Amino acid sequence: MPEDRDWEAYKVPPTRTPAVERTTSLPNPVTFFQTVFGYVVEAPVTFVREWIERQQAKNKFYYYHQKFRRVPDLSECLEGDYLCFYEAEAQWRRDRMVDQEIVEIIRERLGACKQREGPNQFQNCAKEMEQLAQVTKAYQDRYGDLGVHGNARTCLMKQKHRMMEERKAQENASQ
Amino acid sequence: MAAMSLLLRTAAAWGARRAASGAAGAARLPWLAGAARLPGTVAPLRHSSDHGKRMFIIKATSFYDTRFLNLLRFYIFLTGIPAALFITYVNIFIGEAELAEIPEGYVPEYWEYYKHPISRWIARYLLDPPEKDYEKDLALLDVEARKTEMRLMELEARRLMRHRGDGPWYHYETPDKNLVDNSMKSTPDN
């Protein structure tokens, strides 16, 4: 079954609609449709769902998020130590997946902010936009352009090149 | 011809006249040239019975198509319906696992990292634990690494023995020196 949305994650602030001041004596037709919908659709669905949850509550079981131990990085492996390479590669892949999820979460936060603010989004969501820009730039710096065959070794080489360019830029700046 | 009824005879005569004029009229009016006629309209219709005129509709066979579709549906539903019922039962009465923090001092089993009960069952009873898979991969890598190392060492030993000539390899059988007849080289004027 697809992941349910976590309704607590992006809590919408309470609405500030003013209290209703009736000016007519005609009943609101919306309440009629709301009650009809409630009886025809909502009550049976809620009943069935609660019945299912009662059946499932009889034997509850749990699942956990696996925590992996940190192993020596690729930069700490000796040359020709293929076992160390394999473990470092596995750890790098897990870290890349985690980073992808982080970027996804920041993107969702921006989307939630835009949805919440509506027409005010360009002013009020500046923080989230800035955060997303920074996070995507960091992701691009680390994992971008490695291509589909990117592995821990190519990423390490990219980091080495970045450090070399940084050093060169520093030297040029200090001259 | 005697057995032909009046109806069919009129139809035949009319058809013949139509065919004769059709060949001449095709030049002037191409849409009147002998087109395919529906089987019910060759002869004029008599509204005799309630079912209308019974037709023998000539069309391409759908026997093979319907047979194929029936067999397809049968074989898909043969295992599809029990599988669907089983999965519905599992989803309703057993339900998915809930996410929880790992309790202190508790090491979860490797199947307790999956949400759906069928995935958990498959991970528990059919598949190897991921630690074992990891160790299998590492063992394969280790064996291959040792093989590579051995091969490189053998190549290096062979190169050195060939070069230095002091090893057990690269010995070639040569004839015994006592068998060599040096008489033709013993005097300088031969």
Side-chain angles (χ1 to χ4, degrees):
Chain A
M1 305 219 188
E3 286 284 329
D4 267 343
R5 305 207 151 269
D6 184 13
W7 298 109
E8 302 300 315
Y10 304 116
K11 210 110 191 80
V12 182
T15 54
R16 295 181 298 175
T17 43
V20 175
E21 290 167 5
R22 302 207 54 97
T23 47
T24 65
S25 56
L26 279 175
N28 194 357
V30 175
T31 45
F32 168 70
F33 287 117
Q34 279 175 345
T35 42
V36 164
F37 182 83
Y39 281 120
V40 170
V41 175
E42 200 175 320
V45 169
T46 317
F47 176 73
V48 168
R49 179 73 203 166
E50 283 180 356
W51 180 82
I52 291 178
E53 286 188 352
R54 274 200 305 268
Q55 304 303 314
Q56 289 181 357
K58 288 179 186 162
N59 40 359
K60 255 177 160 346
F61 50 97
Y62 301 98
Y63 77 106
Y64 311 101
H65 280 165
Q66 188 163 11
K67 288 192 175 37
F68 291 93
R69 281 201 296 262
R70 300 301 295 185
V71 290
D73 207 13
L74 188 60
S75 51
E76 297 165 25
C77 282
L78 297 177
E79 200 177 312
D81 187 3
Y82 296 102
L83 304 180
C84 186
F85 291 166
Y86 181 81
E87 297 205 313
E89 176 78 30
Q91 182 176 258
W92 179 83
R93 295 227 170 140
R94 286 195 297 268
D95 289 340
R96 189 177 56 169
M97 284 204 282
V98 167
D99 288 336
Q100 283 167 349
E101 290 297 318
I102 289 175
V103 173
E104 194 62 34
I105 287 175
I106 306 279
R107 221 160 63 88
E108 275 180 10
R109 273 194 208 168
L110 179 65
C113 180
K114 284 189 169 174
Q115 171 71 15
R116 240 187 356 245
E117 302 289 337
N120 305 330
Q121 64 196 17
F122 298 105
Q123 273 108 4
N124 294 357
C125 294
K127 252 202 311 257
E128 274 86 358
M129 278 203 222
E130 178 62 32
Q131 207 176 24
L132 181 65
Q134 279 173 354
V135 165
T136 39
K137 178 166 189 315
Y139 186 86
Q140 262 306 93
D141 283 342
R142 202 194 273 191
Y143 298 109
D145 295 331
L146 290 179
V148 73
H149 297 295
N151 55 12
R153 181 182 295 272
T154 51
C155 189
L156 187 64
M157 293 298 111
K158 187 175 180 187
Q159 187 187 16
K160 180 186 81 172
H161 281 272
R162 250 188 304 141
M163 286 162 82
M164 279 161 54
E165 279 172 23
E166 216 175 288
R167 206 182 288 174
K168 234 186 282 182
Q170 249 180 4
E171 281 173 10
N172 289 345
S174 66
Q175 273 174 3
Chain B
M1 289 296 258
M4 272 174 81
S5 63
L6 180 61
L7 185 65
L8 287 177
R9 255 185 280 149
T10 44
W14 183 64
R17 250 182 290 143
R18 286 288 314 179
S21 70
R28 290 176 297 211
L29 301 159
W31 70 82
L32 284 185
R37 300 234 171 264
L38 285 177
T41 57
V42 175
L45 191 59
R46 275 189 193 174
H47 301 278
S48 49
S49 63
D50 293 329
H51 296 275
K53 184 169 158 65
R54 283 181 57 201
M55 318 270 213
F56 185 83
I57 309 276
I58 298 178
K59 59 179 175 30
T61 179
S62 57
F63 170 74
Y64 299 102
D65 297 334
T66 38
R67 184 180 69 175
F68 169 71
L69 291 172
N70 288 341
L71 287 173
L72 186 75
R73 275 199 306 262
F74 174 70
Y75 282 108
I76 287 179
F77 290 147
L78 186 63
T79 46
I81 288 187
L85 289 174
F86 176 71
I87 293 174
T88 311
Y89 171 80
V90 165
N91 279 340
I92 290 182
F93 291 96
I94 301 181
E96 293 183 338
E98 263 183 40
L99 183 57
E101 286 290 327
I102 301 180
E104 285 292 328
Y106 175 66
V107 177
E109 301 284 345
Y110 64 95
W111 67 81
E112 288 178 358
Y113 294 115
Y114 296 95
K115 191 157 78 156
H116 198 265
I118 298 183
S119 311
R120 282 167 87 103
W121 187 86
I122 293 174
R124 186 172 176 180
Y125 291 107
L126 297 182
L127 300 177
D128 278 330
E131 293 87 15
K132 188 170 174 190
D133 277 336
Y134 196 76
E135 293 292 325
K136 280 195 287 196
D137 292 340
L138 288 177
L140 187 64
L141 276 178
D142 189 42
V143 164
E144 292 297 315
R146 282 177 212 261
K147 274 160 70 175
T148 316
E149 206 183 342
M150 292 291 293
R151 284 171 187 155
L152 284 173
M153 287 202 297
E154 186 198 333
L155 286 175
E156 185 65 18
R158 197 197 294 176
R159 189 184 67 85
L160 286 172
M161 280 201 227
R162 195 186 180 108
H163 179 68
R164 295 174 191 167
D166 58 352
W169 295 353
Y170 291 103
H171 282 192
Y172 299 109
E173 284 272 337
T174 49
D176 188 13
K177 71 173 188 321
N178 300 321
L179 298 171
V180 172
D181 177 21
N182 283 324
S183 55
M184 49 195 88
K185 297 183 199 176
S186 52
T187 49
D189 295 323
N190 277 355

